[in-house]
Amino acid sequence: MTIAANLGYPRIGPRRELKQALEAHWAGRLPEDGLRQAAAALRAQARALQRGSGIAHVPSGDFAFYDHVLETACAFGCVPPGYGWSGEGPVPLATLFALARGTPEAPALEMTKWFDTNYHYLVPTPSAAQGFRLVENRWAAAVAEGLALGCRTRPVLLGPVSFLLLSKPLDTDRPLDLLPRLLPAYEAALRGIAEAGAAWVQIDEPCLATDLPAGAEAAYRLAYDRLAQAAPGLGLLLASYFGGLGENLPLVASLPVDGVHLDLVRDPGQLAPALEALRPDLWLSLGVVDGRNVWRGDLRRAFGLLRQAAARSGGARRLMVAPSCSLLHVPQSLAHETALDPALRRRLAFAEEKLAEVALLARALDEGESVAAAAFRESDAVLAEARADAAAHRADIAARLAAVTPAMERRASPFAARAARQQARLGLPPLPVTTIGSLPQTAEVRQARARLARGETTPADYEAAMARLTEEAVRWQEAAGIDVLVHGEFERNDMVKYFAEQLDGYAVTKHGWVQSYGSRCVAPPIIWRDVARPAPMTVRWAAHAQSLTARPVKGMLTGPVTMLQWAFAREDIPRETVCRQIALAIRDEAEDLEAAGIAIVQIDEPAFREGLPLRAAARADYLRWAVAAFRLAASGLGDATQVHTHMCYSEFEDIIGAIAALDADVISIETARSRMALLDAFAGFDYPNAVGPGVWDIHSPRVPEASEMAALARQALRRLPAGRLWLNPDCGCKTRGWAEVRPAVGNLVAAARQLRAELTAAE
Ligand SMILES: Nc1nc2c(c(=O)[nH]1)N[C@@H](CNc1ccc(C(=O)N[C@@H](CCC(=O)N[C@@H](CCC(=O)N[C@@H](CCC(=O)O)C(=O)O)C(=O)O)C(=O)O)cc1)CN2
Ligand SMILES: [Zn+2]
């Protein structure tokens, strides 16, 4: 029997129920047991839905209140002091949230991107001194919870090697050295899982799809030799995803596990070598349904791969059919997307629809293709219709792209000459203070937009309300002493979706929510046709804000790489081409802002690092076209217009050359949680342009003191010259409330004034 399996399910709920419950709990409106009940109800609903779709191996333990990496760390007792855990018994929920969000006394753990996704995990901080102990078997509990309701589930653990590779240990910079201490805790977890009644456990080792660091191979051997013996009788499925195993295949083939999951969407080519290398008695889990995009699958193609695996010589047929990775990264259900263009809707599959594809493929493999004949025909028809979509390929856009010259990807003068002209125009003080763009998206703002969507307000009234907020924001920033102002982005639902709604070629969903971090979600737009800008998108907002003040107001745009990376993109043309189409649209917008008198244009590229391929071999090509697209978007601007860019959650150590090649006049980056460590890359590389290191972690409700921000800025001054340094928060303030933003910005300005005085005194 072929097993229809799933690797992980969206946890936020079809209507973001978990978000509502979490935020109510944090606001003191929902007690802990209410939150736990809401979570249990969501898990029960998810299990039932998956079972109902025909999935035999339903995952459990994939739920998390905030993040599954954080919960793994907590289950193994990796909790630094100061967050309210006694060191005995399970880590309280309050400690979990303190680690995730920070408290007035203790900053939050560092948060960073989960591989090449827009999901963020909290970076565990284990230590040799603290060691590891299974303080709560959350996986055994998840198995028991399912069994009590009649569903035998397959618990999912983040594997020990990936767990350590994703960690930043406190007392060593060689995380894998901690493995021997960690393994007993994992062994205990597996024993408990078996005792709870699970038949299989899924151990995720996504790092197997990356270039492994030195020592990782030995670590994998040690880990899986031990774990395979921990609970005899418990099937151990080793899951890799987000890419192919590549040169790690022989390693995986040598591990004493019971099954291996392969991502055949990102790397279908790995099937043939895997069939050769893997023991015939091994279960093969074939990830043939795309867990990273929203397109319906090419069922015939997927079936071809399955048949190839089924035909492998020797042994009984031990196959599982599955999505390529956890479905955490796609929206839950297409059912409620009634407003989508039917021509697009037919082509889509969200989590629920993907599981139906998985179940159908498994059945077709066992019972013969004929049971799926109608579905295969429909899949063929949808693909044919997509290929024949004339609006997907516009001659005017192709002609414009073909006419792009190298000069269009270059500013007129080098940085030093531009900087002089810009300073003559702007007259900024040393260490200028600015913010990243968005100001609090309060309930008032979101409700006004919700009323507009429901037709309860007119567009004119809505726009007037946003214009009023913008004016208040300008007045407040002037009074607060900020040097370069923002308009506040009140009119934007999201920095990507807002532009997508105004560009040709994009479609947006109503409920297509995907978790980004904690309770925060995004509804990524879908790129299905050629992209173009029919009309200016932001000019009136920027011009309005600028008309209210003599200080410079930045025009805010989202860059082409981020507009691509944070969307679900078409796959029938190269990503490079899609990105260049977007770049031309943004370029036009930037030029329109300049023409309207805006002296500083910020083109945000927070997803620039995230788009970097996981494998080093593919990186140069990505960096080439991503840098070129940004430059194409920015280089229509004259020397006297200052180009800013912004990136958060970024590790630039390995791509600092590409960051410099963007040639933005000023780049603001996230550095507060990592205590300025990132700046070493800029200093070491001799980064040529100006940098604004974040000195306030806006992902935490904690308000830093002026002295703290000044201390961080002094660290920055040790690495970069004062003349090229700005001061700003880590990211936009949209997730914060005014009660935090007002004092924090006040402290930021105070810190800047203090440092300016110190600089003058030192002269
Ligand atoms: N796309 C994207 N990715 C990103 C970021 C980003 O800003 N955008 N930032 C980084 C961090 N990630 C983030 C992801 C999401 C949010 C965020 O604030 N999301 C909002 C939703 C944003 C949105 O689309 N808002 C809509 C819909 C708001 C809403 O929930 N409306 C209510 C009704 C209004 C109400 O009563 O509150 C509803 O639909 O039920 C709007 O403002 O119009 C949230 O989860 O709360 C922040 C950071 C990295 N990745
Ligand atoms: Zn940011």
Side-chain angles (χ1 to χ4, degrees):
M1 262 286 277
T2 304
I3 293 172
N6 186 22
L7 270 56
Y9 200 69
R11 51 175 90 116
I12 202 77
R15 281 286 183 275
R16 292 183 295 165
E17 290 85 348
L18 181 59
K19 173 192 178 66
Q20 266 83 51
L22 281 169
E23 291 177 0
H25 176 64
W26 295 334
R29 284 185 276 111
L30 180 68
E32 177 170 332
D33 57 341
L35 173 60
R36 289 191 182 276
Q37 275 164 27
L42 281 170
R43 291 193 297 263
Q45 188 187 44
R47 282 192 303 265
L49 273 167
Q50 295 177 82
R51 237 327 117 71
S53 301
I55 298 299
H57 280 194
V58 171
S60 64
D62 54 339
F63 178 82
F65 282 101
Y66 199 99
D67 162 45
H68 60 281
V69 181
L70 174 64
E71 292 204 9
T72 305
C74 288
F76 293 127
C78 305
V79 177
Y83 293 85
W85 182 50
S86 65
E88 293 301 320
V91 174
L93 212 47
T95 298
L96 188 99
F97 292 142
L99 289 163
R101 310 176 69 229
T103 67
E105 295 78 35
L109 292 184
E110 200 178 322
M111 187 161 75
T112 196
K113 288 277 154 101
W114 176 246
F115 297 88
D116 58 355
T117 75
N118 195 1
Y119 178 79
H120 306 67
Y121 72 93
L122 287 144
V123 181
T125 54
S127 71
Q130 183 171 44
F132 302 90
R133 226 155 20 92
L134 181 67
V135 298
E136 179 173 25
N137 198 333
R138 59 186 298 281
W139 303 278
V143 172
E145 179 184 76
L147 278 176
L149 292 168
C151 181
R152 170 127 95 164
T153 56
R154 182 173 88 186
V156 188
L157 284 81
L158 176 58
V161 179
S162 292
F163 174 76
L164 288 177
L165 289 175
L166 296 171
S167 296
K168 278 198 187 157
L170 296 175
D171 49 8
T172 167
D173 47 16
R174 297 175 5 159
L176 293 176
D177 286 357
L178 299 178
L179 184 65
R181 293 168 200 263
L182 173 60
L183 287 177
Y186 267 85
E187 290 170 326
L190 293 188
R191 281 194 299 273
I193 287 167
E195 279 160 23
W200 278 93
V201 62
Q202 172 189 327
I203 307 197
D204 284 356
E205 289 283 5
C207 289
L208 284 170
T210 67
D211 303 321
L212 289 178
E217 226 185 284
Y220 273 114
R221 284 186 213 288
L222 173 68
Y224 287 88
D225 281 346
R226 293 268 297 270
L227 296 190
Q229 289 169 36
L234 179 66
L236 209 156
L237 178 75
L238 180 64
S240 62
Y241 44 80
F242 300 152
L245 290 174
E247 75 292 346
N248 300 327
L249 174 62
L251 165 66
V252 169
S254 74
L255 300 177
V257 295
D258 303 291
V260 170
H261 173 83
L262 301 173
D263 182 340
L264 295 181
V265 173
R266 283 270 171 101
D267 186 6
Q270 70 171 325
L271 180 58
L275 291 175
E276 286 285 311
L278 298 175
R279 303 191 317 268
D281 64 320
L282 210 61
W283 282 85
L284 261 188
S285 168
L286 303 169
V288 291
V289 170
D290 194 351
R292 293 292 302 275
N293 212 335
V294 290
W295 306 112
R296 269 171 88 142
D298 179 344
L299 293 182
R300 224 173 271 284
R301 207 167 145 264
F303 194 63
L305 288 168
L306 298 180
R307 277 238 282 252
Q308 191 185 336
R312 98 187 128 140
S313 54
R317 182 193 281 183
R318 294 183 159 179
L319 293 181
M320 301 180 191
V321 180
S324 57
C325 60
S326 166
L327 296 176
L328 186 63
H329 313 291
V330 291
Q332 186 164 325
S333 169
L334 202 49
H336 308 288
E337 296 302 330
T338 46
L340 281 175
D341 185 329
L344 172 61
R345 195 172 184 277
R346 271 196 293 282
R347 291 162 55 181
L348 299 176
F350 293 174
E352 282 179 18
E353 294 78 25
K354 284 173 187 294
L355 290 181
E357 291 184 344
V358 165
L360 181 78
L361 286 165
R363 239 188 94 205
L365 201 59
D366 285 343
E367 298 172 26
E369 205 177 319
S370 61
V371 301
F376 280 19
R377 271 197 304 277
E378 204 181 316
S379 158
D380 293 342
V382 165
L383 290 170
E385 195 182 304
R387 273 192 298 270
D389 177 6
H393 307 276
R394 276 171 49 178
D396 58 331
I397 296 175
R400 233 194 127 190
L401 268 186
V404 170
T405 61
M408 290 169 70
E409 292 175 5
R410 258 193 328 263
R411 303 286 298 280
S413 306
F415 170 73
R418 300 196 306 262
R421 291 195 57 185
Q422 291 159 14
Q423 180 57 9
R425 179 177 182 189
L426 298 167
L428 295 170
L431 305 179
V433 172
T434 190
T435 62
I436 305 303
S438 57
L439 292 169
Q441 284 273 327
T442 56
E444 177 197 358
V445 176
R446 288 198 306 267
Q447 277 160 17
R449 201 152 34 243
R451 278 198 303 277
L452 176 70
R454 289 196 297 266
E456 294 165 14
T457 345
T458 64
D461 283 347
Y462 169 76
E463 302 227 336
M466 297 298 126
R468 216 163 32 243
L469 289 167
T470 305
E471 175 164 2
E472 284 166 22
V474 168
R475 299 280 170 253
W476 166 72
Q477 291 173 87
E478 282 187 321
I482 294 179
D483 303 300
V484 170
L485 312 194
V486 296
H487 78 284
E489 302 180 26
F490 301 106
E491 76 289 2
R492 302 185 186 180
N493 44 15
D494 171 75
M495 61 184 291
V496 171
K497 195 174 176 182
Y498 176 75
F499 290 95
E501 283 169 344
Q502 302 184 66
L503 289 166
D504 293 340
Y506 277 91
V508 297
T509 64
K510 276 210 159 63
H511 308 284
W513 295 106
V514 176
Q515 189 181 19
S516 182
Y517 70 91
S519 68
R520 296 288 168 175
C521 300
V522 296
I526 300 169
I527 304 175
W528 65 306
R529 291 174 166 165
D530 279 354
V531 176
R533 185 193 76 141
M537 303 180 282
T538 66
V539 177
R540 64 187 196 286
W541 297 104
H544 169 60
Q546 187 63 82
S547 74
L548 300 166
T549 176
R551 297 194 195 169
V553 177
K554 294 191 275 190
M556 288 293 162
L557 303 176
T558 302
V561 180
T562 300
M563 286 298 300
L564 169 64
Q565 185 66 22
W566 287 353
F568 291 116
R570 62 194 288 188
E571 294 174 340
D572 60 332
I573 62 173
R575 286 174 78 77
E576 172 175 2
T577 308
V578 181
C579 200
R580 290 179 76 78
Q581 293 177 356
I582 304 167
L584 284 177
I586 302 298
R587 179 184 175 99
D588 292 347
E589 185 72 13
E591 288 180 4
D592 283 350
L593 285 169
E594 181 178 61
I598 299 297
I600 306 183
V601 177
Q602 178 169 312
I603 305 179
D604 291 325
E605 285 291 19
F608 187 85
R609 176 62 174 76
E610 174 192 315
L612 189 71
L614 297 174
R615 294 285 196 170
R619 290 184 174 174
D621 188 52
Y622 164 77
L623 291 173
R624 174 191 58 74
W625 63 253
V627 168
F630 178 87
R631 293 176 61 125
L632 180 57
S635 299
L637 297 172
D639 284 347
T641 302
Q642 192 165 67
V643 174
H644 287 217
T645 189
H646 161 73
M647 301 186 181
C648 34
Y649 305 113
S650 289
E651 286 164 20
F652 296 131
E653 286 77 2
D654 43 356
I655 59 163
I656 188 78
I659 303 299
L662 297 176
D663 198 24
D665 296 302
V666 182
I667 181 171
S668 60
I669 55 174
E670 180 255 286
T671 37
R673 274 198 201 186
S674 65
R675 317 266 180 287
M676 300 282 135
L678 181 56
L679 277 188
D680 291 334
F682 283 79
F685 180 78
D686 239 341
Y687 181 81
N689 302 3
V691 183
V695 292
W696 160 29
D697 168 21
I698 58 77
H699 295 104
S700 160
R702 185 171 172 275
V703 173
E705 300 294 332
S707 57
E708 269 176 69
M709 294 195 266
L712 287 174
R714 278 187 209 100
Q715 290 192 39
L717 279 167
R718 268 183 242 126
R719 294 166 167 100
L720 293 166
R724 287 196 275 116
L725 212 56
W726 288 58
L727 289 185
N728 45 258
D730 267 350
C731 188
C733 299
K734 63 188 152 208
T735 61
R736 301 271 60 92
W738 282 107
E740 296 144 358
V741 171
R742 278 200 198 91
V745 163
N747 293 349
L748 175 64
V749 171
R753 290 186 176 151
Q754 165 72 29
L755 284 158
R756 283 173 201 156
E758 289 172 18
L759 287 174
T760 314
E763 265 164 20

